[in-house]
Amino acid sequence: MSEDTPKISTTFINLQSDFGFKRSFGSTKYQINVIKLIEAALGDEINVERIVPYEENKEYDSVRFHDKEVLPSEQDGKRILYDVYFTMKVESQASLFKPAHLHKDLFGKEVEHHFILEMQNVYTPPFEDRMTYYTSKMIARQGKAGWNYDLDPVVLMAVTDFDFPHLCQQLVHEFELREKTSGESLTKKLRMLFFSLRQLPERWDDCNTELERRLYLIKHMDKMEKNSKPYLQGGYEEMFDSAESSNVVGEEAVAYSRSLAALREVQAGLDYRFEEGRAEGRAEGRAVGLAEGRAEGRAEGRAEGRAEGREMIARKLKKEGVDLEFIAMVTDLPIDKVREL
């Protein structure tokens, strides 16, 4: 091993890091990982038996991974950089189409599904708006001359290491277009699912569903050894193989080291600045001595702390050579501001 190649100290790499997540879920070699995650999340709607290979008898051809970068269609438009974007051909069934009687001719036919897979470790508003934009953009990209508006389904699945502050705390939040009063689904062609790692059971033995078990592996992979119960139990060989540190060498080891450093900087920096902002807010509020002053002090302290924290993190990530678009995404700073720092 070269002296310049960083040594990975854990048996398995961190799958919440940008490198680890994309290696395990964005690779043709390990495509079974995304298939099994989707199957665990969507149940009978999409399973291995209903996936149609793009080319029969060709290995690793059930999933097509695509360029993760989507350039704007207009000058000065917003560039999109997905974590993982792929398509699968799935044999259609009634549950995908509403109202069902209008789509009888589609039952049993192959329908290409578009999947966007994201890993987000820190809540930076407006994260939910960004995910809505990502999903809508993939819908809009299907338009072409002479097109009859028959959409391919687009499904966004985001794994988060936080709970949304404005939603109830639960493992899965699923959103689609529904009628407000009756709750009836207008269409399942646009869906967003969010999985909160914070709501997982603390122990492997307490995971009761396949989705919980696969999310548990994402959260705890770098803490496991080959004598850990999930490894010995079997059934997750591809996930462990994709994460085994001995398989990450050379330039990949360098990329992983930088990705892990970026993850730790973001988490530690935002946590520190948030607590610092709360402390400053309380101190200022007490000095004013009024309820209104305390509330305003807390709010200003938190806001100032978060802003300074994001800039501090951005500077450190730039020093590590992290991509500017990635820095802007995780810190929620404008790309021009990141360039200036």
Side-chain angles (χ1 to χ4, degrees):
M1 181 180 292
S2 169
E3 292 182 1
D4 297 331
T5 302
K7 180 178 174 56
I8 302 175
S9 61
T10 57
T11 303
F12 301 102
I13 63 174
N14 187 313
L15 294 189
Q16 289 184 237
S17 67
D18 186 63
F19 175 90
F21 190 76
K22 291 175 181 177
R23 177 180 173 81
S24 188
F25 295 100
S27 164
T28 298
K29 180 180 179 181
Y30 299 114
Q31 63 178 269
I32 191 63
N33 289 337
V34 294
I35 292 174
K36 288 296 186 181
L37 182 62
I38 290 168
E39 187 176 34
L42 300 182
D44 292 336
E45 289 186 37
I46 297 178
N47 54 49
V48 174
E49 287 71 24
R50 294 184 56 242
I51 296 173
V52 182
Y54 281 88
E55 295 184 32
E56 288 191 32
N57 302 320
K58 186 175 180 181
E59 189 178 15
Y60 300 137
D61 204 35
S62 294
V63 176
R64 287 279 175 91
F65 291 95
H66 301 279
D67 190 349
K68 297 183 285 293
E69 181 178 7
V70 177
L71 297 176
S73 56
E74 68 283 347
Q75 187 176 6
D76 300 326
K78 185 73 172 176
R79 189 181 82 152
I80 293 178
L81 194 62
Y82 300 118
D83 282 351
V84 180
Y85 164 47
F86 60 95
T87 55
M88 292 194 310
K89 286 185 178 180
V90 182
E91 183 181 316
S92 63
Q93 63 178 30
S95 64
L96 292 176
F97 305 102
K98 301 290 182 180
H101 69 277
L102 297 179
H103 301 279
K104 290 180 180 180
D105 58 323
L106 294 176
F107 295 171
K109 291 189 177 181
E110 299 173 10
V111 177
E112 188 165 60
H113 288 56
H114 299 253
F115 289 93
I116 302 164
L117 196 57
E118 296 285 321
M119 177 73 234
Q120 183 78 7
N121 289 287
V122 178
Y123 179 68
T124 53
F127 172 69
E128 51 271 53
D129 289 353
R130 178 158 60 88
M131 294 299 98
T132 303
Y133 177 73
Y134 280 14
T135 312
S136 302
K137 190 71 173 180
M138 194 55 66
I139 289 283
R141 288 186 74 199
Q142 297 182 38
K144 54 185 178 292
W147 177 54
N148 64 358
Y149 296 98
D150 184 19
L151 293 171
D152 292 332
V154 175
V155 182
L156 177 136
M157 302 173 69
V159 180
T160 70
D161 196 14
F162 58 80
D163 291 308
F164 287 95
H166 57 293
L167 297 176
C168 62
Q169 296 184 2
Q170 59 190 46
L171 179 66
V172 181
H173 286 286
E174 181 173 358
F175 299 92
E176 62 182 54
L177 296 176
R178 291 179 177 270
E179 205 283 322
K180 184 176 180 180
T181 304
S182 67
E184 292 177 315
S185 176
L186 175 67
T187 177
K188 288 180 177 287
K189 297 296 186 71
L190 187 156
R191 302 165 72 179
M192 295 190 294
L193 293 91
F194 299 91
F195 310 126
S196 173
L197 299 180
R198 297 290 180 94
Q199 297 303 316
L200 286 170
E202 294 185 4
R203 302 188 316 127
W204 173 261
D205 289 340
D206 294 329
C207 293
N208 297 317
T209 67
E210 183 64 10
L211 179 60
E212 287 180 340
R213 286 186 282 271
R214 291 196 171 267
L215 293 175
Y216 186 96
L217 292 178
I218 294 175
K219 182 174 182 177
H220 297 285
M221 181 62 77
D222 62 332
K223 306 176 188 69
M224 295 186 189
E225 302 291 343
K226 292 190 176 181
N227 61 357
S228 299
K229 184 174 291 187
Y231 186 89
L232 297 176
Q233 177 178 312
Y236 304 94
E237 289 80 7
E238 290 84 1
M239 281 195 70
F240 282 106
D241 187 47
S242 68
E244 188 162 347
S245 60
S246 61
N247 295 331
V248 182
V249 297
E251 293 182 359
E252 283 196 331
V254 175
Y256 172 64
S257 178
R258 289 177 176 173
S259 178
L260 187 61
L263 171 62
R264 289 172 175 170
E265 287 285 358
V266 169
Q267 291 174 328
L270 288 182
D271 287 346
Y272 171 77
R273 277 302 183 180
F274 178 74
E275 291 302 324
E276 187 179 68
R278 290 179 61 190
E280 290 176 359
R282 287 195 296 269
E284 183 177 342
R286 284 194 294 268
V288 173
L290 298 173
E292 182 179 350
R294 287 196 296 269
E296 183 179 348
R298 291 191 185 99
E300 290 178 356
R302 291 191 186 104
E304 184 178 348
R306 289 194 188 102
E308 291 178 0
R310 287 195 292 267
E311 292 181 9
M312 177 188 71
I313 292 165
R315 290 190 186 94
K316 289 185 177 181
L317 295 181
K318 281 185 67 177
K319 188 175 180 181
E320 291 290 332
V322 177
D323 179 75
L324 298 185
E325 289 280 352
F326 177 74
I327 297 174
M329 179 184 70
V330 299
T331 60
D332 201 36
L333 290 172
I335 187 66
D336 291 339
K337 180 65 176 180
V338 174
R339 292 193 182 100
E340 293 174 1
L341 295 174

